[in-house]
Amino acid sequence: QVQLVESGGGLVQSGGSLRLSCAASGTIFSLNTMGWYRQAPGKERELVATIGSSSNPNYADSVKGRFTISRDNLKKTVSLQMNSLKPEDTAVYYCYTRARAGWAPQSDYWGQGTQVTVSS
């Protein structure tokens, strides 16, 4: 199994910044794609940003130029630096990874989520 623990959410004013971090642990054979998704009230979960094991990032159009994703393969962490936050960024942010745990086949794993609230 792979466990993902997020940290760094909170309340910030519009235009402010927050940094989310996520640490993976467990019987990890390999961590492939890592990233962040978010879900606002009444909406479906959506991709925010992902990054491959070779550090090739992918962003949703709505966050390009404002958010930066990074990962540390040795520490098994992924981070999301969020700048110029807008009220529409308010959501629960979930850490994600596609990984292999032990000898099991590759699977998707999710963190418990961290709330980000941006006030206008």
Side-chain angles (χ1 to χ4, degrees):
Q1 285 292 336
V2 177
Q3 292 81 43
L4 299 174
V5 177
E6 302 114 333
S7 61
L11 173 65
V12 65
Q13 288 189 332
S14 182
S17 298
L18 281 175
R19 184 177 180 86
L20 304 182
S21 295
C22 174
S25 63
T27 54
I28 299 170
F29 180 80
S30 63
L31 288 172
N32 300 313
T33 300
M34 301 186 78
W36 296 90
Y37 285 69
R38 66 187 181 188
Q39 187 167 19
K43 295 187 176 181
E44 294 187 351
R45 191 173 296 189
E46 63 177 5
L47 179 146
V48 176
T50 59
I51 186 167
S53 55
S54 300
S55 298
N56 45 323
N58 175 55
Y59 297 97
D61 288 342
S62 59
V63 307
K64 282 180 181 176
R66 300 188 298 121
F67 292 9
T68 302
I69 190 170
S70 60
R71 66 186 284 171
D72 185 323
N73 290 328
L74 288 179
K75 294 182 179 179
K76 299 184 177 62
T77 60
V78 61
S79 298
L80 186 69
Q81 178 66 41
M82 305 185 293
N83 299 328
S84 302
L85 282 161
K86 305 175 181 179
E88 51 263 44
D89 294 318
T90 295
V92 177
Y93 284 70
Y94 295 91
C95 181
Y96 159 84
T97 186
R98 177 160 291 178
R100 283 192 63 190
W103 294 106
Q106 190 168 252
S107 297
D108 294 335
Y109 296 91
W110 297 89
Q112 79 284 359
T114 186
Q115 178 70 46
V116 171
T117 303
V118 184
S119 63
S120 56

PDB file of all heavy atoms in Angstrom, residues 66-103:
ATOM      1  N   ARG A  66       0.434  30.477 -12.695  1.00  0.00           N
ATOM      2  CA  ARG A  66       0.230  30.827 -11.284  1.00  0.00           C
ATOM      3  C   ARG A  66       0.703  29.733 -10.342  1.00  0.00           C
ATOM      4  O   ARG A  66       1.195  30.036  -9.249  1.00  0.00           O
ATOM      5  CB  ARG A  66      -1.260  31.107 -11.026  1.00  0.00           C
ATOM      6  CG  ARG A  66      -1.838  32.237 -11.844  1.00  0.00           C
ATOM      7  CD  ARG A  66      -3.262  32.582 -11.404  1.00  0.00           C
ATOM      8  NE  ARG A  66      -4.196  31.470 -11.582  1.00  0.00           N
ATOM      9  CZ  ARG A  66      -4.901  30.929 -10.585  1.00  0.00           C
ATOM     10  NH1 ARG A  66      -4.789  31.399  -9.359  1.00  0.00           N
ATOM     11  NH2 ARG A  66      -5.738  29.933 -10.838  1.00  0.00           N
ATOM     12  N   PHE A  67       0.537  28.476 -10.742  1.00  0.00           N
ATOM     13  CA  PHE A  67       0.912  27.343  -9.901  1.00  0.00           C
ATOM     14  C   PHE A  67       2.159  26.670 -10.475  1.00  0.00           C
ATOM     15  O   PHE A  67       2.342  26.613 -11.698  1.00  0.00           O
ATOM     16  CB  PHE A  67      -0.210  26.319  -9.843  1.00  0.00           C
ATOM     17  CG  PHE A  67      -1.461  26.759  -9.109  1.00  0.00           C
ATOM     18  CD1 PHE A  67      -1.638  28.070  -8.690  1.00  0.00           C
ATOM     19  CD2 PHE A  67      -2.451  25.845  -8.838  1.00  0.00           C
ATOM     20  CE1 PHE A  67      -2.785  28.472  -8.020  1.00  0.00           C
ATOM     21  CE2 PHE A  67      -3.608  26.213  -8.172  1.00  0.00           C
ATOM     22  CZ  PHE A  67      -3.778  27.527  -7.771  1.00  0.00           C
ATOM     23  N   THR A  68       2.982  26.131  -9.576  1.00  0.00           N
ATOM     24  CA  THR A  68       4.171  25.388  -9.978  1.00  0.00           C
ATOM     25  C   THR A  68       4.233  24.088  -9.191  1.00  0.00           C
ATOM     26  O   THR A  68       4.204  24.112  -7.961  1.00  0.00           O
ATOM     27  CB  THR A  68       5.442  26.188  -9.736  1.00  0.00           C
ATOM     28  OG1 THR A  68       5.376  27.434 -10.451  1.00  0.00           O
ATOM     29  CG2 THR A  68       6.667  25.408 -10.216  1.00  0.00           C
ATOM     30  N   ILE A  69       4.326  22.974  -9.915  1.00  0.00           N
ATOM     31  CA  ILE A  69       4.433  21.665  -9.269  1.00  0.00           C
ATOM     32  C   ILE A  69       5.884  21.205  -9.314  1.00  0.00           C
ATOM     33  O   ILE A  69       6.604  21.482 -10.283  1.00  0.00           O
ATOM     34  CB  ILE A  69       3.502  20.631  -9.945  1.00  0.00           C
ATOM     35  CG1 ILE A  69       3.435  19.352  -9.125  1.00  0.00           C
ATOM     36  CG2 ILE A  69       3.923  20.356 -11.386  1.00  0.00           C
ATOM     37  CD1 ILE A  69       2.357  18.389  -9.591  1.00  0.00           C
ATOM     38  N   SER A  70       6.305  20.534  -8.253  1.00  0.00           N
ATOM     39  CA  SER A  70       7.663  19.996  -8.197  1.00  0.00           C
ATOM     40  C   SER A  70       7.644  18.707  -7.396  1.00  0.00           C
ATOM     41  O   SER A  70       6.702  18.455  -6.625  1.00  0.00           O
ATOM     42  CB  SER A  70       8.622  21.003  -7.573  1.00  0.00           C
ATOM     43  OG  SER A  70       8.216  21.320  -6.255  1.00  0.00           O
ATOM     44  N   ARG A  71       8.678  17.885  -7.574  1.00  0.00           N
ATOM     45  CA  ARG A  71       8.755  16.639  -6.820  1.00  0.00           C
ATOM     46  C   ARG A  71      10.193  16.370  -6.431  1.00  0.00           C
ATOM     47  O   ARG A  71      11.131  16.825  -7.104  1.00  0.00           O
ATOM     48  CB  ARG A  71       8.173  15.465  -7.610  1.00  0.00           C
ATOM     49  CG  ARG A  71       8.928  15.078  -8.852  1.00  0.00           C
ATOM     50  CD  ARG A  71       8.185  13.995  -9.634  1.00  0.00           C
ATOM     51  NE  ARG A  71       8.305  12.687  -9.040  1.00  0.00           N
ATOM     52  CZ  ARG A  71       7.607  11.617  -9.434  1.00  0.00           C
ATOM     53  NH1 ARG A  71       6.718  11.739 -10.414  1.00  0.00           N
ATOM     54  NH2 ARG A  71       7.774  10.437  -8.852  1.00  0.00           N
ATOM     55  N   ASP A  72      10.342  15.627  -5.346  1.00  0.00           N
ATOM     56  CA  ASP A  72      11.648  15.186  -4.876  1.00  0.00           C
ATOM     57  C   ASP A  72      11.581  13.666  -4.822  1.00  0.00           C
ATOM     58  O   ASP A  72      10.930  13.098  -3.945  1.00  0.00           O
ATOM     59  CB  ASP A  72      11.950  15.788  -3.493  1.00  0.00           C
ATOM     60  CG  ASP A  72      13.349  15.449  -3.015  1.00  0.00           C
ATOM     61  OD1 ASP A  72      13.836  14.327  -3.272  1.00  0.00           O
ATOM     62  OD2 ASP A  72      13.953  16.305  -2.343  1.00  0.00           O
ATOM     63  N   ASN A  73      12.229  13.018  -5.771  1.00  0.00           N
ATOM     64  CA  ASN A  73      12.114  11.558  -5.861  1.00  0.00           C
ATOM     65  C   ASN A  73      12.785  10.856  -4.680  1.00  0.00           C
ATOM     66  O   ASN A  73      12.326   9.793  -4.263  1.00  0.00           O
ATOM     67  CB  ASN A  73      12.703  11.074  -7.178  1.00  0.00           C
ATOM     68  CG  ASN A  73      11.849  11.485  -8.367  1.00  0.00           C
ATOM     69  OD1 ASN A  73      10.624  11.591  -8.262  1.00  0.00           O
ATOM     70  ND2 ASN A  73      12.485  11.717  -9.497  1.00  0.00           N
ATOM     71  N   LEU A  74      13.839  11.429  -4.149  1.00  0.00           N
ATOM     72  CA  LEU A  74      14.514  10.794  -3.011  1.00  0.00           C
ATOM     73  C   LEU A  74      13.643  10.863  -1.760  1.00  0.00           C
ATOM     74  O   LEU A  74      13.550   9.900  -1.002  1.00  0.00           O
ATOM     75  CB  LEU A  74      15.859  11.457  -2.760  1.00  0.00           C
ATOM     76  CG  LEU A  74      16.950  11.171  -3.794  1.00  0.00           C
ATOM     77  CD1 LEU A  74      18.222  11.924  -3.430  1.00  0.00           C
ATOM     78  CD2 LEU A  74      17.228   9.683  -3.898  1.00  0.00           C
ATOM     79  N   LYS A  75      12.998  11.991  -1.560  1.00  0.00           N
ATOM     80  CA  LYS A  75      12.145  12.174  -0.383  1.00  0.00           C
ATOM     81  C   LYS A  75      10.733  11.662  -0.610  1.00  0.00           C
ATOM     82  O   LYS A  75       9.931  11.599   0.314  1.00  0.00           O
ATOM     83  CB  LYS A  75      12.102  13.650   0.020  1.00  0.00           C
ATOM     84  CG  LYS A  75      13.438  14.196   0.498  1.00  0.00           C
ATOM     85  CD  LYS A  75      13.299  15.648   0.923  1.00  0.00           C
ATOM     86  CE  LYS A  75      14.626  16.191   1.428  1.00  0.00           C
ATOM     87  NZ  LYS A  75      14.520  17.624   1.821  1.00  0.00           N
ATOM     88  N   LYS A  76      10.397  11.306  -1.857  1.00  0.00           N
ATOM     89  CA  LYS A  76       9.067  10.817  -2.208  1.00  0.00           C
ATOM     90  C   LYS A  76       8.004  11.863  -1.870  1.00  0.00           C
ATOM     91  O   LYS A  76       6.992  11.566  -1.232  1.00  0.00           O
ATOM     92  CB  LYS A  76       8.765   9.491  -1.516  1.00  0.00           C
ATOM     93  CG  LYS A  76       9.720   8.357  -1.882  1.00  0.00           C
ATOM     94  CD  LYS A  76       9.306   7.054  -1.232  1.00  0.00           C
ATOM     95  CE  LYS A  76      10.197   5.904  -1.655  1.00  0.00           C
ATOM     96  NZ  LYS A  76      11.604   6.076  -1.278  1.00  0.00           N
ATOM     97  N   THR A  77       8.273  13.086  -2.284  1.00  0.00           N
ATOM     98  CA  THR A  77       7.330  14.178  -2.030  1.00  0.00           C
ATOM     99  C   THR A  77       6.967  14.900  -3.324  1.00  0.00           C
ATOM    100  O   THR A  77       7.727  14.887  -4.293  1.00  0.00           O
ATOM    101  CB  THR A  77       7.900  15.204  -1.045  1.00  0.00           C
ATOM    102  OG1 THR A  77       9.106  15.763  -1.592  1.00  0.00           O
ATOM    103  CG2 THR A  77       8.213  14.570   0.305  1.00  0.00           C
ATOM    104  N   VAL A  78       5.797  15.517  -3.305  1.00  0.00           N
ATOM    105  CA  VAL A  78       5.366  16.383  -4.391  1.00  0.00           C
ATOM    106  C   VAL A  78       4.795  17.642  -3.754  1.00  0.00           C
ATOM    107  O   VAL A  78       4.132  17.576  -2.718  1.00  0.00           O
ATOM    108  CB  VAL A  78       4.339  15.695  -5.309  1.00  0.00           C
ATOM    109  CG1 VAL A  78       3.079  15.306  -4.557  1.00  0.00           C
ATOM    110  CG2 VAL A  78       4.012  16.566  -6.508  1.00  0.00           C
ATOM    111  N   SER A  79       5.094  18.778  -4.355  1.00  0.00           N
ATOM    112  CA  SER A  79       4.649  20.060  -3.807  1.00  0.00           C
ATOM    113  C   SER A  79       3.951  20.883  -4.879  1.00  0.00           C
ATOM    114  O   SER A  79       4.192  20.695  -6.083  1.00  0.00           O
ATOM    115  CB  SER A  79       5.840  20.846  -3.262  1.00  0.00           C
ATOM    116  OG  SER A  79       6.457  20.150  -2.203  1.00  0.00           O
ATOM    117  N   LEU A  80       3.100  21.783  -4.410  1.00  0.00           N
ATOM    118  CA  LEU A  80       2.394  22.678  -5.324  1.00  0.00           C
ATOM    119  C   LEU A  80       2.492  24.084  -4.763  1.00  0.00           C
ATOM    120  O   LEU A  80       1.910  24.375  -3.709  1.00  0.00           O
ATOM    121  CB  LEU A  80       0.934  22.266  -5.463  1.00  0.00           C
ATOM    122  CG  LEU A  80       0.113  23.040  -6.501  1.00  0.00           C
ATOM    123  CD1 LEU A  80       0.586  22.697  -7.912  1.00  0.00           C
ATOM    124  CD2 LEU A  80      -1.368  22.742  -6.349  1.00  0.00           C
ATOM    125  N   GLN A  81       3.242  24.940  -5.426  1.00  0.00           N
ATOM    126  CA  GLN A  81       3.326  26.342  -5.055  1.00  0.00           C
ATOM    127  C   GLN A  81       2.228  27.094  -5.788  1.00  0.00           C
ATOM    128  O   GLN A  81       2.180  27.078  -7.022  1.00  0.00           O
ATOM    129  CB  GLN A  81       4.697  26.911  -5.427  1.00  0.00           C
ATOM    130  CG  GLN A  81       4.848  28.385  -5.123  1.00  0.00           C
ATOM    131  CD  GLN A  81       4.803  28.683  -3.642  1.00  0.00           C
ATOM    132  OE1 GLN A  81       5.367  27.967  -2.836  1.00  0.00           O
ATOM    133  NE2 GLN A  81       4.092  29.752  -3.268  1.00  0.00           N
ATOM    134  N   MET A  82       1.351  27.717  -5.021  1.00  0.00           N
ATOM    135  CA  MET A  82       0.197  28.405  -5.599  1.00  0.00           C
ATOM    136  C   MET A  82       0.312  29.899  -5.339  1.00  0.00           C
ATOM    137  O   MET A  82       0.303  30.334  -4.187  1.00  0.00           O
ATOM    138  CB  MET A  82      -1.098  27.855  -4.986  1.00  0.00           C
ATOM    139  CG  MET A  82      -1.248  26.354  -5.118  1.00  0.00           C
ATOM    140  SD  MET A  82      -2.838  25.747  -4.506  1.00  0.00           S
ATOM    141  CE  MET A  82      -2.690  26.075  -2.764  1.00  0.00           C
ATOM    142  N   ASN A  83       0.469  30.664  -6.398  1.00  0.00           N
ATOM    143  CA  ASN A  83       0.578  32.114  -6.314  1.00  0.00           C
ATOM    144  C   ASN A  83      -0.625  32.775  -6.975  1.00  0.00           C
ATOM    145  O   ASN A  83      -1.349  32.138  -7.742  1.00  0.00           O
ATOM    146  CB  ASN A  83       1.866  32.586  -6.981  1.00  0.00           C
ATOM    147  CG  ASN A  83       3.115  32.032  -6.338  1.00  0.00           C
ATOM    148  OD1 ASN A  83       3.142  31.793  -5.124  1.00  0.00           O
ATOM    149  ND2 ASN A  83       4.149  31.817  -7.128  1.00  0.00           N
ATOM    150  N   SER A  84      -0.807  34.037  -6.682  1.00  0.00           N
ATOM    151  CA  SER A  84      -1.907  34.810  -7.279  1.00  0.00           C
ATOM    152  C   SER A  84      -3.234  34.073  -7.156  1.00  0.00           C
ATOM    153  O   SER A  84      -3.995  33.945  -8.122  1.00  0.00           O
ATOM    154  CB  SER A  84      -1.604  35.109  -8.754  1.00  0.00           C
ATOM    155  OG  SER A  84      -0.387  35.814  -8.888  1.00  0.00           O
ATOM    156  N   LEU A  85      -3.500  33.589  -5.960  1.00  0.00           N
ATOM    157  CA  LEU A  85      -4.706  32.781  -5.745  1.00  0.00           C
ATOM    158  C   LEU A  85      -5.966  33.604  -5.950  1.00  0.00           C
ATOM    159  O   LEU A  85      -6.009  34.810  -5.647  1.00  0.00           O
ATOM    160  CB  LEU A  85      -4.676  32.180  -4.341  1.00  0.00           C
ATOM    161  CG  LEU A  85      -3.753  30.953  -4.221  1.00  0.00           C
ATOM    162  CD1 LEU A  85      -3.403  30.695  -2.764  1.00  0.00           C
ATOM    163  CD2 LEU A  85      -4.411  29.741  -4.835  1.00  0.00           C
ATOM    164  N   LYS A  86      -6.989  32.934  -6.462  1.00  0.00           N
ATOM    165  CA  LYS A  86      -8.285  33.544  -6.744  1.00  0.00           C
ATOM    166  C   LYS A  86      -9.372  32.825  -5.936  1.00  0.00           C
ATOM    167  O   LYS A  86      -9.214  31.644  -5.603  1.00  0.00           O
ATOM    168  CB  LYS A  86      -8.599  33.425  -8.235  1.00  0.00           C
ATOM    169  CG  LYS A  86      -7.547  33.991  -9.160  1.00  0.00           C
ATOM    170  CD  LYS A  86      -7.898  33.710 -10.612  1.00  0.00           C
ATOM    171  CE  LYS A  86      -6.846  34.237 -11.560  1.00  0.00           C
ATOM    172  NZ  LYS A  86      -7.190  33.945 -12.981  1.00  0.00           N
ATOM    173  N   PRO A  87     -10.485  33.484  -5.672  1.00  0.00           N
ATOM    174  CA  PRO A  87     -11.575  32.805  -4.957  1.00  0.00           C
ATOM    175  C   PRO A  87     -12.009  31.512  -5.639  1.00  0.00           C
ATOM    176  O   PRO A  87     -12.391  30.552  -4.951  1.00  0.00           O
ATOM    177  CB  PRO A  87     -12.688  33.850  -4.965  1.00  0.00           C
ATOM    178  CG  PRO A  87     -11.969  35.160  -4.981  1.00  0.00           C
ATOM    179  CD  PRO A  87     -10.769  34.925  -5.857  1.00  0.00           C
ATOM    180  N   GLU A  88     -11.915  31.456  -6.957  1.00  0.00           N
ATOM    181  CA  GLU A  88     -12.319  30.234  -7.667  1.00  0.00           C
ATOM    182  C   GLU A  88     -11.343  29.083  -7.490  1.00  0.00           C
ATOM    183  O   GLU A  88     -11.608  27.967  -7.933  1.00  0.00           O
ATOM    184  CB  GLU A  88     -12.533  30.515  -9.163  1.00  0.00           C
ATOM    185  CG  GLU A  88     -11.391  31.235  -9.844  1.00  0.00           C
ATOM    186  CD  GLU A  88     -11.637  32.739  -9.925  1.00  0.00           C
ATOM    187  OE1 GLU A  88     -12.090  33.343  -8.926  1.00  0.00           O
ATOM    188  OE2 GLU A  88     -11.339  33.314 -11.013  1.00  0.00           O
ATOM    189  N   ASP A  89     -10.221  29.330  -6.843  1.00  0.00           N
ATOM    190  CA  ASP A  89      -9.284  28.248  -6.495  1.00  0.00           C
ATOM    191  C   ASP A  89      -9.712  27.542  -5.213  1.00  0.00           C
ATOM    192  O   ASP A  89      -9.110  26.526  -4.838  1.00  0.00           O
ATOM    193  CB  ASP A  89      -7.870  28.796  -6.312  1.00  0.00           C
ATOM    194  CG  ASP A  89      -7.281  29.328  -7.606  1.00  0.00           C
ATOM    195  OD1 ASP A  89      -7.449  28.676  -8.652  1.00  0.00           O
ATOM    196  OD2 ASP A  89      -6.636  30.401  -7.558  1.00  0.00           O
ATOM    197  N   THR A  90     -10.725  28.059  -4.544  1.00  0.00           N
ATOM    198  CA  THR A  90     -11.202  27.444  -3.308  1.00  0.00           C
ATOM    199  C   THR A  90     -11.717  26.037  -3.580  1.00  0.00           C
ATOM    200  O   THR A  90     -12.557  25.825  -4.448  1.00  0.00           O
ATOM    201  CB  THR A  90     -12.323  28.295  -2.687  1.00  0.00           C
ATOM    202  OG1 THR A  90     -11.792  29.558  -2.302  1.00  0.00           O
ATOM    203  CG2 THR A  90     -12.929  27.595  -1.477  1.00  0.00           C
ATOM    204  N   ALA A  91     -11.180  25.070  -2.850  1.00  0.00           N
ATOM    205  CA  ALA A  91     -11.527  23.665  -3.053  1.00  0.00           C
ATOM    206  C   ALA A  91     -10.786  22.812  -2.035  1.00  0.00           C
ATOM    207  O   ALA A  91      -9.887  23.301  -1.341  1.00  0.00           O
ATOM    208  CB  ALA A  91     -11.149  23.219  -4.463  1.00  0.00           C
ATOM    209  N   VAL A  92     -11.139  21.541  -2.004  1.00  0.00           N
ATOM    210  CA  VAL A  92     -10.323  20.557  -1.305  1.00  0.00           C
ATOM    211  C   VAL A  92      -9.310  20.028  -2.319  1.00  0.00           C
ATOM    212  O   VAL A  92      -9.699  19.599  -3.411  1.00  0.00           O
ATOM    213  CB  VAL A  92     -11.168  19.403  -0.739  1.00  0.00           C
ATOM    214  CG1 VAL A  92     -10.260  18.366  -0.082  1.00  0.00           C
ATOM    215  CG2 VAL A  92     -12.175  19.941   0.277  1.00  0.00           C
ATOM    216  N   TYR A  93      -8.053  20.089  -1.957  1.00  0.00           N
ATOM    217  CA  TYR A  93      -6.978  19.658  -2.841  1.00  0.00           C
ATOM    218  C   TYR A  93      -6.501  18.268  -2.419  1.00  0.00           C
ATOM    219  O   TYR A  93      -6.190  18.043  -1.244  1.00  0.00           O
ATOM    220  CB  TYR A  93      -5.831  20.657  -2.807  1.00  0.00           C
ATOM    221  CG  TYR A  93      -6.125  21.902  -3.601  1.00  0.00           C
ATOM    222  CD1 TYR A  93      -7.083  22.813  -3.158  1.00  0.00           C
ATOM    223  CD2 TYR A  93      -5.460  22.173  -4.803  1.00  0.00           C
ATOM    224  CE1 TYR A  93      -7.377  23.960  -3.895  1.00  0.00           C
ATOM    225  CE2 TYR A  93      -5.745  23.310  -5.541  1.00  0.00           C
ATOM    226  CZ  TYR A  93      -6.705  24.193  -5.084  1.00  0.00           C
ATOM    227  OH  TYR A  93      -6.995  25.324  -5.812  1.00  0.00           O
ATOM    228  N   TYR A  94      -6.423  17.376  -3.399  1.00  0.00           N
ATOM    229  CA  TYR A  94      -6.047  15.999  -3.137  1.00  0.00           C
ATOM    230  C   TYR A  94      -4.717  15.670  -3.812  1.00  0.00           C
ATOM    231  O   TYR A  94      -4.544  15.928  -5.007  1.00  0.00           O
ATOM    232  CB  TYR A  94      -7.106  15.038  -3.670  1.00  0.00           C
ATOM    233  CG  TYR A  94      -8.444  15.142  -2.975  1.00  0.00           C
ATOM    234  CD1 TYR A  94      -9.431  15.996  -3.453  1.00  0.00           C
ATOM    235  CD2 TYR A  94      -8.719  14.374  -1.847  1.00  0.00           C
ATOM    236  CE1 TYR A  94     -10.655  16.096  -2.822  1.00  0.00           C
ATOM    237  CE2 TYR A  94      -9.940  14.462  -1.207  1.00  0.00           C
ATOM    238  CZ  TYR A  94     -10.903  15.337  -1.697  1.00  0.00           C
ATOM    239  OH  TYR A  94     -12.115  15.424  -1.063  1.00  0.00           O
ATOM    240  N   CYS A  95      -3.845  15.075  -3.047  1.00  0.00           N
ATOM    241  CA  CYS A  95      -2.594  14.550  -3.590  1.00  0.00           C
ATOM    242  C   CYS A  95      -2.891  13.220  -4.281  1.00  0.00           C
ATOM    243  O   CYS A  95      -3.735  12.441  -3.809  1.00  0.00           O
ATOM    244  CB  CYS A  95      -1.593  14.353  -2.463  1.00  0.00           C
ATOM    245  SG  CYS A  95       0.017  13.740  -2.991  1.00  0.00           S
ATOM    246  N   TYR A  96      -2.189  12.957  -5.343  1.00  0.00           N
ATOM    247  CA  TYR A  96      -2.426  11.756  -6.153  1.00  0.00           C
ATOM    248  C   TYR A  96      -1.095  11.164  -6.599  1.00  0.00           C
ATOM    249  O   TYR A  96      -0.122  11.878  -6.850  1.00  0.00           O
ATOM    250  CB  TYR A  96      -3.253  12.146  -7.391  1.00  0.00           C
ATOM    251  CG  TYR A  96      -3.169  11.180  -8.546  1.00  0.00           C
ATOM    252  CD1 TYR A  96      -3.971  10.056  -8.582  1.00  0.00           C
ATOM    253  CD2 TYR A  96      -2.281  11.391  -9.592  1.00  0.00           C
ATOM    254  CE1 TYR A  96      -3.896   9.158  -9.632  1.00  0.00           C
ATOM    255  CE2 TYR A  96      -2.191  10.499 -10.648  1.00  0.00           C
ATOM    256  CZ  TYR A  96      -3.008   9.391 -10.665  1.00  0.00           C
ATOM    257  OH  TYR A  96      -2.930   8.500 -11.694  1.00  0.00           O
ATOM    258  N   THR A  97      -1.067   9.845  -6.704  1.00  0.00           N
ATOM    259  CA  THR A  97       0.046   9.200  -7.361  1.00  0.00           C
ATOM    260  C   THR A  97      -0.414   7.917  -8.045  1.00  0.00           C
ATOM    261  O   THR A  97      -1.345   7.249  -7.587  1.00  0.00           O
ATOM    262  CB  THR A  97       1.196   8.893  -6.386  1.00  0.00           C
ATOM    263  OG1 THR A  97       2.316   8.393  -7.140  1.00  0.00           O
ATOM    264  CG2 THR A  97       0.811   7.834  -5.367  1.00  0.00           C
ATOM    265  N   ARG A  98       0.211   7.612  -9.129  1.00  0.00           N
ATOM    266  CA  ARG A  98       0.073   6.303  -9.775  1.00  0.00           C
ATOM    267  C   ARG A  98       1.360   5.571  -9.436  1.00  0.00           C
ATOM    268  O   ARG A  98       2.456   6.035  -9.816  1.00  0.00           O
ATOM    269  CB  ARG A  98      -0.129   6.440 -11.274  1.00  0.00           C
ATOM    270  CG  ARG A  98      -0.209   5.108 -12.007  1.00  0.00           C
ATOM    271  CD  ARG A  98      -0.885   5.260 -13.345  1.00  0.00           C
ATOM    272  NE  ARG A  98      -2.301   5.559 -13.180  1.00  0.00           N
ATOM    273  CZ  ARG A  98      -3.112   5.785 -14.217  1.00  0.00           C
ATOM    274  NH1 ARG A  98      -2.652   5.775 -15.450  1.00  0.00           N
ATOM    275  NH2 ARG A  98      -4.384   6.035 -14.000  1.00  0.00           N
ATOM    276  N   ALA A  99       1.244   4.485  -8.706  1.00  0.00           N
ATOM    277  CA  ALA A  99       2.433   3.870  -8.142  1.00  0.00           C
ATOM    278  C   ALA A  99       2.272   2.357  -8.073  1.00  0.00           C
ATOM    279  O   ALA A  99       1.173   1.810  -8.203  1.00  0.00           O
ATOM    280  CB  ALA A  99       2.680   4.438  -6.737  1.00  0.00           C
ATOM    281  N   ARG A 100       3.425   1.699  -7.847  1.00  0.00           N
ATOM    282  CA  ARG A 100       3.437   0.274  -7.571  1.00  0.00           C
ATOM    283  C   ARG A 100       3.852   0.084  -6.114  1.00  0.00           C
ATOM    284  O   ARG A 100       4.875   0.608  -5.674  1.00  0.00           O
ATOM    285  CB  ARG A 100       4.413  -0.450  -8.488  1.00  0.00           C
ATOM    286  CG  ARG A 100       3.910  -0.658  -9.900  1.00  0.00           C
ATOM    287  CD  ARG A 100       4.803  -1.633 -10.636  1.00  0.00           C
ATOM    288  NE  ARG A 100       4.774  -2.950 -10.006  1.00  0.00           N
ATOM    289  CZ  ARG A 100       5.608  -3.932 -10.333  1.00  0.00           C
ATOM    290  NH1 ARG A 100       6.520  -3.751 -11.264  1.00  0.00           N
ATOM    291  NH2 ARG A 100       5.521  -5.097  -9.732  1.00  0.00           N
ATOM    292  N   ALA A 101       3.035  -0.664  -5.395  1.00  0.00           N
ATOM    293  CA  ALA A 101       3.335  -0.989  -4.005  1.00  0.00           C
ATOM    294  C   ALA A 101       3.752  -2.454  -3.958  1.00  0.00           C
ATOM    295  O   ALA A 101       2.992  -3.335  -4.346  1.00  0.00           O
ATOM    296  CB  ALA A 101       2.114  -0.773  -3.130  1.00  0.00           C
ATOM    297  N   GLY A 102       4.974  -2.682  -3.514  1.00  0.00           N
ATOM    298  CA  GLY A 102       5.468  -4.050  -3.449  1.00  0.00           C
ATOM    299  C   GLY A 102       5.423  -4.701  -4.820  1.00  0.00           C
ATOM    300  O   GLY A 102       5.860  -4.126  -5.816  1.00  0.00           O
ATOM    301  N   TRP A 103       4.863  -5.905  -4.903  1.00  0.00           N
ATOM    302  CA  TRP A 103       4.767  -6.628  -6.163  1.00  0.00           C
ATOM    303  C   TRP A 103       3.404  -6.447  -6.822  1.00  0.00           C
ATOM    304  O   TRP A 103       3.123  -7.077  -7.840  1.00  0.00           O
ATOM    305  CB  TRP A 103       5.035  -8.113  -5.944  1.00  0.00           C
ATOM    306  CG  TRP A 103       6.445  -8.362  -5.517  1.00  0.00           C
ATOM    307  CD1 TRP A 103       6.878  -8.695  -4.280  1.00  0.00           C
ATOM    308  CD2 TRP A 103       7.623  -8.253  -6.317  1.00  0.00           C
ATOM    309  NE1 TRP A 103       8.250  -8.817  -4.270  1.00  0.00           N
ATOM    310  CE2 TRP A 103       8.721  -8.553  -5.495  1.00  0.00           C
ATOM    311  CE3 TRP A 103       7.842  -7.937  -7.676  1.00  0.00           C
ATOM    312  CZ2 TRP A 103      10.033  -8.538  -5.979  1.00  0.00           C
ATOM    313  CZ3 TRP A 103       9.146  -7.928  -8.146  1.00  0.00           C
ATOM    314  CH2 TRP A 103      10.225  -8.221  -7.303  1.00  0.00           C
TER     315      TRP A 103
END
